[in-house]
Amino acid sequence: MAHGMIGSHHHSILASRVGMVAHVLFLTTAVLMLVWLLHYRGGINIQSEDPEQIFNVHPFVMSWGFILLIGEAILAYSTIPPHIDHRTQKMAHMLIHLVGLILGIFGVYAAFKYHDAAVAPDLMSLHSWLGITAIALFGLQWLFGFVTFWLPGAHTDTRAAAAPAHVMAGLAIFMLAVCAAQTGLVEKSAAAASTTEMKLINVTGIFILLYGVAVASAVALRKAFL
């Protein structure tokens, strides 16, 4: 029994360290995205008359505000110390997810506004299909989590039974969002104005993927050895 408790503690520490790696990847990805959009693509402005500056709002918001924030919300149970009230962890998880959802919807709006300004058709690429699917599923997942785990009406047994499916679905949607980001970056890499820009886009995509893997790994370690 003591050996099991020691092993569980060891893996809990490992999960926490993987979570810290995810935070570092978060910051690195955020900086790389800013360098790309500000240095190579002329800036970010939803009110601009330049369609490209309008478009730049989309990758900025979807990376910083959707993918990265979703990951941080998932990590809330590992990031916030366990001695803090569980309800505080749950509130942080829910609110960060809500901010991510709102920003994700705004990012989709920015993409549609760009298409209008550039007179381009909507929802024609695999990237757009994956992205819309991820946003829609994430919205449903958030509503399910809010009703089941936050509102007082749900029975304790119901919450316990729903928790594994909620975690699994959350990670699946998160990785779907990561896949959507990869397809979007592939499109922009192919149209890059220079080799340096292309390499920067590719590196950014790698860090987004690594961030997704780190978040999923931290959750898997925490769940497997509780």
Side-chain angles (χ1 to χ4, degrees):
M1 179 65 126
H3 176 73
M5 292 178 64
I6 293 173
S8 176
H9 179 67
H10 169 74
H11 286 96
S12 177
I13 293 175
L14 181 58
S16 178
R17 289 176 178 173
V18 172
M20 292 302 297
V21 171
H23 296 324
V24 173
L25 292 170
F26 171 103
L27 293 173
T28 305
T29 302
V31 170
L32 288 173
M33 183 61 68
L34 272 181
V35 170
W36 174 46
L37 295 175
L38 296 179
H39 182 70
Y40 289 97
R41 291 191 54 84
I44 306 164
N45 185 358
I46 193 67
Q47 300 296 336
S48 175
E49 295 183 0
D50 180 0
E52 293 303 318
Q53 288 192 8
I54 296 173
F55 171 82
N56 291 345
V57 175
H58 175 71
F60 173 72
V61 172
M62 298 307 288
S63 59
W64 279 63
F66 189 61
I67 293 176
L68 297 181
L69 276 187
I70 287 177
E72 292 303 304
I74 292 173
L75 291 172
Y77 291 103
S78 300
T79 303
I80 299 175
H83 64 269
I84 294 179
D85 180 56
H86 178 68
R87 188 173 177 84
T88 301
Q89 294 177 319
K90 189 161 63 171
M91 179 179 288
H93 177 78
M94 179 190 69
L95 291 178
I96 296 172
H97 268 324
L98 178 60
V99 173
L101 175 60
I102 292 170
L103 291 175
I105 293 171
F106 180 70
V108 172
Y109 161 75
F112 279 102
K113 182 172 182 178
Y114 161 72
H115 289 158
D116 288 341
V119 194
D122 296 318
L123 300 176
M124 296 297 292
S125 65
L126 175 62
H127 167 68
S128 63
W129 293 3
L130 292 177
I132 288 291
T133 302
I135 289 285
L137 291 177
F138 183 77
L140 293 174
Q141 167 82 344
W142 189 89
L143 285 174
F144 173 80
F146 179 76
V147 171
T148 305
F149 300 105
W150 187 256
L151 294 182
H155 193 275
T156 303
D157 291 341
T158 302
R159 292 177 177 176
H166 181 67
V167 172
M168 181 181 69
L171 283 176
I173 294 168
F174 172 63
M175 294 310 295
L176 176 61
V178 170
C179 289
Q182 300 303 309
T183 56
L185 289 173
V186 165
E187 291 178 7
K188 291 305 171 183
S189 177
S194 67
T195 302
T196 305
E197 181 185 0
M198 179 188 68
K199 290 179 179 178
L200 176 60
I201 295 171
N202 293 343
V203 170
T204 303
I206 290 172
F207 272 93
I208 290 176
L209 178 61
L210 291 175
Y211 177 69
V213 171
V215 170
S217 299
V219 173
L221 284 168
R222 184 172 62 84
K223 288 295 181 182
F225 297 100
L226 281 177

PDB file of all heavy atoms in Angstrom, residues 5 8 19 26 48 51 56 68 115 125 141 143 152 166-167 181-182 191 206 212-214 218:
ATOM      1  N   MET A   5       1.247   4.320  -2.715  1.00  0.00           N
ATOM      2  CA  MET A   5       1.115   5.748  -2.416  1.00  0.00           C
ATOM      3  C   MET A   5       2.339   6.513  -2.887  1.00  0.00           C
ATOM      4  O   MET A   5       2.231   7.615  -3.432  1.00  0.00           O
ATOM      5  CB  MET A   5       0.915   5.944  -0.916  1.00  0.00           C
ATOM      6  CG  MET A   5      -0.418   5.431  -0.400  1.00  0.00           C
ATOM      7  SD  MET A   5      -0.583   5.627   1.375  1.00  0.00           S
ATOM      8  CE  MET A   5      -0.549   7.422   1.523  1.00  0.00           C
ATOM      9  N   SER A   8       2.143   6.756  -6.650  1.00  0.00           N
ATOM     10  CA  SER A   8       1.147   7.750  -7.036  1.00  0.00           C
ATOM     11  C   SER A   8       1.687   9.160  -6.855  1.00  0.00           C
ATOM     12  O   SER A   8       1.491  10.029  -7.704  1.00  0.00           O
ATOM     13  CB  SER A   8      -0.120   7.548  -6.192  1.00  0.00           C
ATOM     14  OG  SER A   8      -1.062   8.543  -6.476  1.00  0.00           O
ATOM     15  N   GLY A  19       3.274  19.514 -16.857  1.00  0.00           N
ATOM     16  CA  GLY A  19       2.448  20.714 -16.949  1.00  0.00           C
ATOM     17  C   GLY A  19       3.290  21.975 -17.037  1.00  0.00           C
ATOM     18  O   GLY A  19       2.963  22.904 -17.789  1.00  0.00           O
ATOM     19  N   PHE A  26       3.650  27.037 -24.080  1.00  0.00           N
ATOM     20  CA  PHE A  26       2.616  28.066 -24.243  1.00  0.00           C
ATOM     21  C   PHE A  26       3.259  29.409 -24.560  1.00  0.00           C
ATOM     22  O   PHE A  26       2.910  30.075 -25.547  1.00  0.00           O
ATOM     23  CB  PHE A  26       1.795  28.150 -22.954  1.00  0.00           C
ATOM     24  CG  PHE A  26       0.818  29.314 -22.892  1.00  0.00           C
ATOM     25  CD1 PHE A  26      -0.536  29.101 -23.111  1.00  0.00           C
ATOM     26  CD2 PHE A  26       1.242  30.608 -22.600  1.00  0.00           C
ATOM     27  CE1 PHE A  26      -1.441  30.154 -23.054  1.00  0.00           C
ATOM     28  CE2 PHE A  26       0.347  31.661 -22.548  1.00  0.00           C
ATOM     29  CZ  PHE A  26      -0.998  31.425 -22.770  1.00  0.00           C
ATOM     30  N   SER A  48      -9.115  47.180 -39.918  1.00  0.00           N
ATOM     31  CA  SER A  48      -8.287  47.644 -41.022  1.00  0.00           C
ATOM     32  C   SER A  48      -9.014  47.536 -42.361  1.00  0.00           C
ATOM     33  O   SER A  48      -9.915  46.710 -42.536  1.00  0.00           O
ATOM     34  CB  SER A  48      -6.989  46.829 -41.081  1.00  0.00           C
ATOM     35  OG  SER A  48      -6.217  47.185 -42.207  1.00  0.00           O
ATOM     36  N   PRO A  51      -7.354  43.588 -46.048  1.00  0.00           N
ATOM     37  CA  PRO A  51      -7.901  42.270 -45.704  1.00  0.00           C
ATOM     38  C   PRO A  51      -6.914  41.383 -44.957  1.00  0.00           C
ATOM     39  O   PRO A  51      -7.310  40.591 -44.094  1.00  0.00           O
ATOM     40  CB  PRO A  51      -8.264  41.666 -47.069  1.00  0.00           C
ATOM     41  CG  PRO A  51      -8.491  42.835 -47.954  1.00  0.00           C
ATOM     42  CD  PRO A  51      -7.504  43.880 -47.482  1.00  0.00           C
ATOM     43  N   ASN A  56      -5.250  38.440 -40.014  1.00  0.00           N
ATOM     44  CA  ASN A  56      -4.268  38.141 -38.969  1.00  0.00           C
ATOM     45  C   ASN A  56      -4.890  38.044 -37.579  1.00  0.00           C
ATOM     46  O   ASN A  56      -4.317  37.427 -36.677  1.00  0.00           O
ATOM     47  CB  ASN A  56      -3.165  39.206 -38.971  1.00  0.00           C
ATOM     48  CG  ASN A  56      -2.301  39.124 -40.211  1.00  0.00           C
ATOM     49  OD1 ASN A  56      -2.324  38.138 -40.937  1.00  0.00           O
ATOM     50  ND2 ASN A  56      -1.552  40.181 -40.479  1.00  0.00           N
ATOM     51  N   LEU A  68      -4.400  27.845 -26.857  1.00  0.00           N
ATOM     52  CA  LEU A  68      -3.537  27.976 -25.681  1.00  0.00           C
ATOM     53  C   LEU A  68      -4.348  28.119 -24.400  1.00  0.00           C
ATOM     54  O   LEU A  68      -4.006  27.535 -23.361  1.00  0.00           O
ATOM     55  CB  LEU A  68      -2.587  29.162 -25.862  1.00  0.00           C
ATOM     56  CG  LEU A  68      -1.594  29.033 -27.028  1.00  0.00           C
ATOM     57  CD1 LEU A  68      -0.684  30.262 -27.102  1.00  0.00           C
ATOM     58  CD2 LEU A  68      -0.742  27.774 -26.902  1.00  0.00           C
ATOM     59  N   HIS A 115     -12.911  36.969 -45.371  1.00  0.00           N
ATOM     60  CA  HIS A 115     -13.423  36.438 -46.634  1.00  0.00           C
ATOM     61  C   HIS A 115     -14.329  37.455 -47.332  1.00  0.00           C
ATOM     62  O   HIS A 115     -14.290  37.582 -48.566  1.00  0.00           O
ATOM     63  CB  HIS A 115     -14.200  35.142 -46.378  1.00  0.00           C
ATOM     64  CG  HIS A 115     -13.317  33.994 -46.008  1.00  0.00           C
ATOM     65  ND1 HIS A 115     -13.772  32.895 -45.317  1.00  0.00           N
ATOM     66  CD2 HIS A 115     -11.994  33.782 -46.217  1.00  0.00           C
ATOM     67  CE1 HIS A 115     -12.780  32.054 -45.125  1.00  0.00           C
ATOM     68  NE2 HIS A 115     -11.686  32.565 -45.666  1.00  0.00           N
ATOM     69  N   SER A 125     -12.072  24.985 -47.149  1.00  0.00           N
ATOM     70  CA  SER A 125     -10.856  24.217 -46.869  1.00  0.00           C
ATOM     71  C   SER A 125     -11.075  23.214 -45.745  1.00  0.00           C
ATOM     72  O   SER A 125     -12.002  23.335 -44.942  1.00  0.00           O
ATOM     73  CB  SER A 125      -9.720  25.170 -46.470  1.00  0.00           C
ATOM     74  OG  SER A 125     -10.038  25.814 -45.244  1.00  0.00           O
ATOM     75  N   GLN A 141     -19.505  20.922 -25.333  1.00  0.00           N
ATOM     76  CA  GLN A 141     -18.773  20.358 -24.199  1.00  0.00           C
ATOM     77  C   GLN A 141     -18.809  21.296 -22.993  1.00  0.00           C
ATOM     78  O   GLN A 141     -18.990  20.861 -21.849  1.00  0.00           O
ATOM     79  CB  GLN A 141     -17.315  20.094 -24.622  1.00  0.00           C
ATOM     80  CG  GLN A 141     -16.332  19.798 -23.500  1.00  0.00           C
ATOM     81  CD  GLN A 141     -16.368  18.358 -23.047  1.00  0.00           C
ATOM     82  OE1 GLN A 141     -17.306  17.613 -23.345  1.00  0.00           O
ATOM     83  NE2 GLN A 141     -15.343  17.952 -22.316  1.00  0.00           N
ATOM     84  N   LEU A 143     -21.145  23.578 -22.322  1.00  0.00           N
ATOM     85  CA  LEU A 143     -22.506  23.569 -21.775  1.00  0.00           C
ATOM     86  C   LEU A 143     -22.759  22.302 -20.951  1.00  0.00           C
ATOM     87  O   LEU A 143     -23.355  22.357 -19.863  1.00  0.00           O
ATOM     88  CB  LEU A 143     -23.527  23.670 -22.908  1.00  0.00           C
ATOM     89  CG  LEU A 143     -23.683  25.044 -23.560  1.00  0.00           C
ATOM     90  CD1 LEU A 143     -24.627  24.957 -24.753  1.00  0.00           C
ATOM     91  CD2 LEU A 143     -24.199  26.066 -22.547  1.00  0.00           C
ATOM     92  N   PRO A 152     -26.013  23.022  -9.200  1.00  0.00           N
ATOM     93  CA  PRO A 152     -26.202  22.148  -8.039  1.00  0.00           C
ATOM     94  C   PRO A 152     -27.182  20.996  -8.264  1.00  0.00           C
ATOM     95  O   PRO A 152     -27.274  20.094  -7.433  1.00  0.00           O
ATOM     96  CB  PRO A 152     -26.747  23.109  -6.967  1.00  0.00           C
ATOM     97  CG  PRO A 152     -27.397  24.210  -7.736  1.00  0.00           C
ATOM     98  CD  PRO A 152     -26.588  24.375  -8.981  1.00  0.00           C
ATOM     99  N   HIS A 166     -16.236  13.226 -19.882  1.00  0.00           N
ATOM    100  CA  HIS A 166     -15.995  14.670 -20.022  1.00  0.00           C
ATOM    101  C   HIS A 166     -14.512  14.941 -20.267  1.00  0.00           C
ATOM    102  O   HIS A 166     -14.160  15.748 -21.145  1.00  0.00           O
ATOM    103  CB  HIS A 166     -16.463  15.380 -18.757  1.00  0.00           C
ATOM    104  CG  HIS A 166     -16.295  16.866 -18.795  1.00  0.00           C
ATOM    105  ND1 HIS A 166     -17.021  17.684 -19.643  1.00  0.00           N
ATOM    106  CD2 HIS A 166     -15.471  17.690 -18.092  1.00  0.00           C
ATOM    107  CE1 HIS A 166     -16.657  18.942 -19.462  1.00  0.00           C
ATOM    108  NE2 HIS A 166     -15.718  18.976 -18.538  1.00  0.00           N
ATOM    109  N   VAL A 167     -13.654  14.282 -19.514  1.00  0.00           N
ATOM    110  CA  VAL A 167     -12.207  14.462 -19.684  1.00  0.00           C
ATOM    111  C   VAL A 167     -11.760  13.977 -21.063  1.00  0.00           C
ATOM    112  O   VAL A 167     -11.018  14.664 -21.774  1.00  0.00           O
ATOM    113  CB  VAL A 167     -11.434  13.708 -18.582  1.00  0.00           C
ATOM    114  CG1 VAL A 167      -9.933  13.733 -18.863  1.00  0.00           C
ATOM    115  CG2 VAL A 167     -11.722  14.328 -17.222  1.00  0.00           C
ATOM    116  N   ALA A 181      -5.370  23.897 -36.327  1.00  0.00           N
ATOM    117  CA  ALA A 181      -4.288  24.891 -36.403  1.00  0.00           C
ATOM    118  C   ALA A 181      -3.192  24.431 -37.359  1.00  0.00           C
ATOM    119  O   ALA A 181      -2.668  25.231 -38.154  1.00  0.00           O
ATOM    120  CB  ALA A 181      -3.714  25.138 -35.015  1.00  0.00           C
ATOM    121  N   GLN A 182      -2.862  23.145 -37.308  1.00  0.00           N
ATOM    122  CA  GLN A 182      -1.811  22.631 -38.181  1.00  0.00           C
ATOM    123  C   GLN A 182      -2.186  22.782 -39.655  1.00  0.00           C
ATOM    124  O   GLN A 182      -1.365  23.191 -40.479  1.00  0.00           O
ATOM    125  CB  GLN A 182      -1.549  21.152 -37.874  1.00  0.00           C
ATOM    126  CG  GLN A 182      -1.096  20.847 -36.450  1.00  0.00           C
ATOM    127  CD  GLN A 182       0.168  21.605 -36.069  1.00  0.00           C
ATOM    128  OE1 GLN A 182       1.161  21.581 -36.781  1.00  0.00           O
ATOM    129  NE2 GLN A 182       0.113  22.282 -34.944  1.00  0.00           N
ATOM    130  N   ALA A 191       2.094  29.479 -48.811  1.00  0.00           N
ATOM    131  CA  ALA A 191       1.973  30.787 -49.458  1.00  0.00           C
ATOM    132  C   ALA A 191       2.935  31.815 -48.871  1.00  0.00           C
ATOM    133  O   ALA A 191       2.790  33.015 -49.124  1.00  0.00           O
ATOM    134  CB  ALA A 191       0.536  31.294 -49.326  1.00  0.00           C
ATOM    135  N   ILE A 206       5.059  23.249 -34.999  1.00  0.00           N
ATOM    136  CA  ILE A 206       5.664  22.199 -34.178  1.00  0.00           C
ATOM    137  C   ILE A 206       5.447  22.487 -32.696  1.00  0.00           C
ATOM    138  O   ILE A 206       5.106  21.591 -31.909  1.00  0.00           O
ATOM    139  CB  ILE A 206       7.167  22.068 -34.498  1.00  0.00           C
ATOM    140  CG1 ILE A 206       7.357  21.463 -35.891  1.00  0.00           C
ATOM    141  CG2 ILE A 206       7.870  21.207 -33.440  1.00  0.00           C
ATOM    142  CD1 ILE A 206       8.784  21.469 -36.374  1.00  0.00           C
ATOM    143  N   GLY A 212       0.165  20.676 -27.340  1.00  0.00           N
ATOM    144  CA  GLY A 212      -0.964  19.761 -27.243  1.00  0.00           C
ATOM    145  C   GLY A 212      -0.577  18.430 -26.628  1.00  0.00           C
ATOM    146  O   GLY A 212      -1.294  17.895 -25.770  1.00  0.00           O
ATOM    147  N   VAL A 213       0.563  17.887 -27.039  1.00  0.00           N
ATOM    148  CA  VAL A 213       1.036  16.614 -26.496  1.00  0.00           C
ATOM    149  C   VAL A 213       1.357  16.747 -25.011  1.00  0.00           C
ATOM    150  O   VAL A 213       1.037  15.860 -24.206  1.00  0.00           O
ATOM    151  CB  VAL A 213       2.277  16.128 -27.277  1.00  0.00           C
ATOM    152  CG1 VAL A 213       2.920  14.919 -26.582  1.00  0.00           C
ATOM    153  CG2 VAL A 213       1.890  15.765 -28.702  1.00  0.00           C
ATOM    154  N   ALA A 214       1.970  17.863 -24.623  1.00  0.00           N
ATOM    155  CA  ALA A 214       2.329  18.064 -23.212  1.00  0.00           C
ATOM    156  C   ALA A 214       1.079  18.166 -22.341  1.00  0.00           C
ATOM    157  O   ALA A 214       1.022  17.589 -21.249  1.00  0.00           O
ATOM    158  CB  ALA A 214       3.185  19.326 -23.068  1.00  0.00           C
ATOM    159  N   ALA A 218       0.128  15.467 -19.438  1.00  0.00           N
ATOM    160  CA  ALA A 218      -0.054  15.865 -18.040  1.00  0.00           C
ATOM    161  C   ALA A 218      -1.372  15.335 -17.488  1.00  0.00           C
ATOM    162  O   ALA A 218      -1.444  14.834 -16.360  1.00  0.00           O
ATOM    163  CB  ALA A 218       0.011  17.381 -17.905  1.00  0.00           C
TER     164      ALA A 218
END
